[in-house]
Amino acid sequence: MYFITFEGCDGSGKTTQVSLLTNHLQSRGLKCVTTKEPGGTPLAQEIRSLLLKSEIKDPITEFALLSAARRDHITNLIQPSLVQGITVICDRFFDSSLVYQGLKKGLDLDFMFDIHKKVVGALEPSLTFLLDLAPEIIIERLQRSANREINHYDAQPVSFHKSIREGFLLLAEKFSSRIVVINADQPIENIAKEIFEKFSMLTKT
Ligand code: TYD
């Protein structure tokens, strides 16, 4: 069983690809569960509502809330699933904190890694798919998707999405054995095919 995470800017197509990978694996008889952060359990979902309601300016407070949600998510959903041999596919994880609260809002990265170690223990994603997209395309996509829940994280200028993208690419360079960068400016089926192929390489190692 594996712990797979998806990362990227809002509007990069993570949700679609999470569900396509899940269907693909389930059709091949692999047990898997789909989840997301912040969220995934009733308590974490309540914390998510707090985080999305209005912007929390202080990154330590924001990271503390995200970590509390993550701890509950790991304890009550991720670990128990992995122990039962179920693959977990998660939309966002700690890389998002490193980019949004760390690289973007300036929270000290060593501090974040320290807290993270205490929150998650030894758990690490087996593989992370980074869906990479130019900020101009992101803005266009976010404006087009009228029926999605718009929150303060979405209402950002191109420069914001540009720095988030750069943050993720920096992490991909640093953790190159775990993070696979996928060009998200392609037809959905092509992206999915690339993801299935990378996943099957993981299962062969
Ligand atoms: P997400 O659920 O992916 O947004 P949506 O459902 O609108 O696609 O995430 C909500 C926001 O939370 C997203 O803009 C990024 C932010 N976020 C952080 O700032 N730090 C984190 O650690 C996580 C997991 C998310």
Side-chain angles (χ1 to χ4, degrees):
M1 90 315 280
Y2 302 94
F3 176 36
I4 307 296
T5 58
F6 279 73
E7 297 283 3
C9 298
D10 293 301
S12 59
K14 289 180 285 93
T15 313
T16 306
Q17 294 301 329
V18 162
S19 106
L20 289 175
L21 178 63
T22 306
N23 294 344
H24 174 77
L25 298 181
Q26 283 174 341
S27 72
R28 275 158 182 73
L30 198 81
K31 280 192 194 158
C32 46
V33 63
T34 298
T35 187
K36 75 175 292 169
E37 288 210 347
T41 59
L43 176 60
Q45 199 57 34
E46 295 232 11
I47 298 174
R48 176 188 175 85
S49 307
L50 277 178
L51 286 159
L52 297 192
K53 205 155 84 185
S54 56
E55 188 183 359
I56 296 168
K57 292 265 185 321
D58 173 33
I60 298 185
T61 309
E62 191 180 27
F63 180 59
L65 285 170
L66 284 159
S67 298
R70 186 163 296 136
R71 172 84 183 170
D72 193 64
H73 189 205
I74 289 166
T75 312
N76 294 307
L77 192 143
I78 300 179
Q79 285 289 18
S81 304
L82 294 172
V83 165
Q84 289 174 60
I86 300 169
T87 286
V88 177
I89 302 177
C90 187
D91 189 340
R92 294 195 187 281
F93 194 61
F94 181 53
D95 294 319
S96 280
S97 302
L98 285 174
V99 170
Y100 287 85
Q101 283 66 50
L103 299 170
K104 182 68 191 157
K105 291 194 176 168
L107 191 55
D108 181 68
L109 296 184
D110 290 335
F111 166 78
M112 294 184 79
F113 278 109
D114 269 2
I115 301 283
H116 182 65
K117 247 186 251 154
K118 293 189 173 76
V119 166
V120 307
L123 179 75
E124 246 228 275
S126 325
L127 191 62
T128 297
F129 292 107
L130 169 57
L131 299 188
D132 180 52
L133 203 55
E136 295 74 16
I137 304 177
I138 286 170
I139 299 263
E140 211 184 286
R141 282 194 189 180
L142 289 175
Q143 284 168 349
R144 253 190 287 135
S145 49
N147 58 351
R148 90 188 255 293
E149 165 204 10
I150 294 287
N151 56 61
H152 63 89
Y153 287 100
D154 301 323
Q156 300 286 353
V158 173
S159 58
F160 175 87
H161 296 292
K162 189 167 179 283
S163 58
I164 295 296
R165 181 197 200 186
E166 283 163 4
F168 276 122
L169 289 174
L170 203 79
L171 290 189
E173 231 177 271
K174 192 166 160 55
F175 304 111
S176 57
S177 57
R178 172 174 61 84
I179 303 181
V180 176
V181 183
I182 305 277
N183 169 16
D185 188 17
Q186 303 182 67
I188 288 173
E189 318 76 61
N190 296 23
I191 300 173
K193 190 162 171 276
E194 223 177 295
I195 290 172
F196 301 165
E197 281 168 10
K198 296 283 184 204
F199 180 87
S200 67
M201 278 161 67
L202 174 75
T203 60
K204 281 181 198 130
T205 52

